[in-house]
Amino acid sequence: MNEHIARQLREAAEGHQPDRARMLARVQRGAAGPAARHRARSGLRSWPKAALAGLAAAGILATGAFAAAGIARTQPPSDTTTTAPSAPSPTVTPSPSVTAPPTVTPSPTPSAPPVTSGPAPAATTPPTARPTPPASPRAQNGPLWSEGSIDAHSTVYWGQNNLILRTTQPLTSLTVELRIAQTGDVRDTGNWRTLPSDDFTVTVQESGGALVYRWVLKPGRTVPVGQHEFAGQFNHATGVRSAANDSYRVDTQSVGGPASVWGGFGPAG
């Protein structure tokens, strides 16, 4: 259907205004009048055909009007209609020189140390590997007198510590102990004393980081008045050995009561 026919149908549909009431009145007058029925008796057989033809024509006109109105309301696009393409929207490209500012992360502020009240803590002294040195020496007590020394024959491989003990009273009980600090590879090589060996019980053992020599007077024996000597012999690591942590102790019993002496070892006089 071209544009001309569509326009004619649209004008016919818009100009046509069917009067339904008028049409029904005409149909009713023709059907209800008796005189008309007598006048048209001879043509009674042809009247229904004419009425039906008129109704069909009216229906066709109404249908055509409605169709024309529908066509006018929804016209299909014409084959010759050309729609111009819309201009594309410009694309905005960000300038390469504009960059987002870098994110700055603030560095943490160091917290101040807590303020404490009261006296400052005492300084900590680092522990020492050396054994605890002996107490202040007591070389003389009651009938006893003592002196410790390093034997003059000691070498860089071997050593001997000597103890001289003097008593002005006979001793009914006597225990002598020599402690040689473990300064490295200290090992027993022997011991001796000037008193009879049968009068003493002798032991040598490692104890408390030291090589310990001990002489104990046997029960019923007596140490006479005079000067006596005890010695411990040992090997040690190569080099000049320090005897600063070596020590001795003597505990006795006499008619005058108990007495004890102790001290360290120095160079031989």
Side-chain angles (χ1 to χ4, degrees):
M1 185 181 294
N2 57 26
E3 182 67 23
H4 178 71
I5 297 174
R7 185 172 59 254
Q8 287 182 346
L9 291 176
R10 184 169 58 253
E11 292 176 355
E14 291 176 354
H16 178 75
Q17 294 181 358
D19 192 348
R20 184 180 179 184
R22 185 176 179 181
M23 293 173 62
L24 291 176
R26 290 176 63 183
V27 172
Q28 289 176 358
R29 283 195 305 270
R37 286 196 302 267
H38 289 290
R39 285 193 304 268
R41 182 175 298 271
S42 60
L44 182 63
R45 184 174 299 178
S46 63
W47 179 87
K49 294 181 179 180
L52 291 175
L55 291 176
I60 291 172
L61 290 176
T63 304
F66 288 127
I71 293 171
R73 286 194 299 269
T74 57
Q75 293 184 9
S78 176
D79 294 339
T80 59
T81 302
T82 303
T83 303
S86 60
S89 302
T91 303
V92 179
T93 303
S95 175
S97 61
V98 179
T99 58
T103 303
V104 178
T105 303
S107 58
T109 303
S111 58
V115 179
T116 58
S117 59
T124 303
T125 303
T128 177
R130 298 172 58 185
T132 304
S136 300
R138 186 171 71 177
Q140 186 173 359
N141 178 231
L144 302 179
W145 178 91
S146 62
E147 182 182 42
S149 63
I150 300 172
D151 193 88
H153 297 91
S154 296
T155 68
V156 294
Y157 308 103
W158 176 87
Q160 176 176 304
N161 285 11
N162 301 326
L163 170 63
I164 296 175
L165 177 65
R166 297 175 186 168
T167 178
T168 59
Q169 294 180 358
L171 304 175
T172 57
S173 174
L174 172 63
T175 299
V176 177
E177 183 177 277
L178 272 59
R179 299 180 65 88
I180 311 302
Q182 183 57 259
T183 55
D185 294 335
V186 174
R187 296 187 302 273
D188 171 48
T189 58
N191 63 88
W192 56 267
R193 83 260 112 238
T194 56
L195 292 168
S197 58
D198 292 341
D199 291 349
F200 292 88
T201 301
V202 182
T203 59
V204 181
Q205 62 181 358
E206 290 272 355
S207 177
L211 183 63
V212 181
Y213 296 85
R214 183 178 292 111
W215 294 265
V216 179
L217 184 66
K218 294 180 180 178
R221 309 297 174 93
T222 303
V223 175
V225 175
Q227 178 173 307
H228 313 288
E229 190 171 354
F230 299 83
Q233 300 171 331
F234 51 90
N235 287 335
H236 59 77
T238 303
V240 178
R241 180 182 178 276
S242 171
N245 292 319
D246 297 350
S247 62
Y248 70 87
R249 182 182 178 92
V250 178
D251 296 301
T252 67
Q253 181 72 40
S254 67
V255 294
S260 298
V261 290
W262 58 82
F265 297 89

